[in-house]
Amino acid sequence: KQEVTQIPAALSVPEGENLVLNCSFTDSAIYNLQWFRQDPGKGLTSLLLIQSSQREQTSGRLNASLDKSSGRSTLYIAASQPGDSATYLCAVGDYKLSFGAGTTVTVRA
Amino acid sequence: GAGVSQSPSNKVTEKGKDVELRCDPISGHTALYWYRQRLGQGLEFLIYFQGNSAPDKSGLPSDRFSAERTGESVSTLTIQRTQQEDSAVYLCASSLEAGRQETQYFGPGTRLLVL
C-alpha cells in the first residue's frame, strides 16, 4: 500500500520568504504526482502535475521536483504572499490517488 | 467554464438515516471519482467511474456505501443506515479520462455530520 508523508505538518513564514514543502512516498512505481492546494471550507485546487517521466514542473512562482528513485517530491513557492496561506497536499497514483496529510502554511504579512 | 459542483454543501442527519450526495462533473469529463476526508485525516479514495461503469470500488468502506453514475454525467453516492463514523467531507473529482496522466479537478465537497 502506498504511504505518502508530508513534512512539516505546519509552517509559518514572513511574507516574501521562499517556501519549501516536502512529500515522500513509499512505492516508487508511481504514474504521476500532483500537488493541490486546499483552502478552509473549499475543495482542492490542482497546482501542478508531474508525470512519472518528468523531473520537475513549473507554474509561475511554483516549482515542483520529483525524484522517483528516492521517493520524494518538493514544492517550492517563491516570494510567498499572504494569499499563499492554505493547506498543501501531495498525491500520487494513477486514477486512484493516495494523499498525504498536508502541510498547513501561514504567510504572515 | 463551470467546475465540479456538489450538493448539498452541508448535510446533518441522524444515525440510521440514509443520505444521498450528488456530484456534477465538468462537462465532457468521462472519469469521476469520490473521496472522503475525515477530520484530521487525509483523503481516502472511495470509488471511480469511467463513463457509467465503476471499475474500482475498492475504497468503499462497507456495503452501506454505494454509488452510481448515469448519462456519463451526474453521480450519486448513497450511504445507508448512517453511522457517526461516516461523518466527513465527501469530495468528488472529475478528469477527461481515467488515464494515468490526467489532472483531477475537485468539487467543494459535501460536509456530512451524523448525529
Side-chain angles (χ1 to χ4, degrees):
Chain A
K1 178 186 175 185
Q2 179 74 269
E3 300 287 343
V4 182
T5 303
Q6 291 187 247
I7 295 173
L11 186 60
S12 179
V13 300
E15 183 177 3
E17 193 165 300
N18 297 332
L19 289 165
V20 180
L21 309 180
N22 298 299
C23 172
S24 62
F25 46 93
T26 54
D27 184 351
S28 62
I30 65 170
Y31 295 103
N32 67 57
L33 184 144
Q34 296 184 53
W35 282 95
F36 294 90
R37 166 184 174 140
Q38 185 172 34
D39 293 281
K42 298 185 179 180
L44 279 64
T45 302
S46 178
L47 297 174
L48 291 168
L49 181 150
I50 309 176
Q51 298 179 9
S52 59
S53 59
Q54 298 176 316
R55 294 290 297 227
E56 67 176 342
Q57 275 286 0
T58 298
S59 176
R61 294 185 294 111
L62 307 180
N63 174 275
S65 65
L66 174 63
D67 184 342
K68 282 179 55 178
S69 62
S70 66
R72 294 184 181 183
S73 175
T74 302
L75 177 66
Y76 300 90
I77 303 177
S80 61
Q81 304 169 358
D84 294 329
S85 297
T87 297
Y88 291 82
L89 302 171
C90 81
V92 299
D94 40 30
Y95 60 84
K96 178 194 297 188
L97 295 178
S98 296
F99 283 82
T103 295
T104 299
V105 171
T106 302
V107 180
R108 308 185 303 273
Chain B
V4 177
S5 61
Q6 293 186 245
S7 62
S9 54
N10 292 281
K11 177 72 176 179
V12 180
T13 190
E14 294 179 349
K15 177 182 173 181
K17 300 281 190 181
D18 297 352
V19 296
E20 287 189 350
L21 312 179
R22 176 187 170 109
C23 173
D24 283 90
I26 293 173
S27 178
H29 280 194
T30 64
L32 185 148
Y33 315 80
W34 284 99
Y35 293 85
R36 175 171 76 171
Q37 186 174 31
R38 288 189 280 191
L39 188 64
Q41 300 186 24
L43 275 79
E44 308 167 75
F45 169 84
L46 297 178
I47 185 172
Y48 96 95
F49 290 88
Q50 177 60 56
N52 294 332
S53 300
D56 189 342
K57 306 178 183 180
S58 63
L60 294 178
S62 76
D63 59 8
R64 296 186 296 105
F65 287 71
S66 63
E68 65 175 14
R69 188 180 186 195
T70 57
E72 297 196 356
S73 180
V74 173
S75 176
T76 302
L77 177 68
T78 301
I79 309 174
Q80 295 178 311
R81 305 180 304 281
T82 51
Q83 304 294 313
Q84 289 181 333
E85 62 262 30
D86 299 335
S87 296
V89 177
Y90 289 83
L91 290 158
C92 173
S94 69
S95 64
L96 278 172
E97 298 178 358
R100 293 166 173 172
Q101 315 295 350
E102 295 289 334
T103 297
Q104 295 185 19
Y105 297 90
F106 282 76
T110 293
R111 284 154 190 77
L112 175 66
L113 178 61
V114 182
L115 301 176

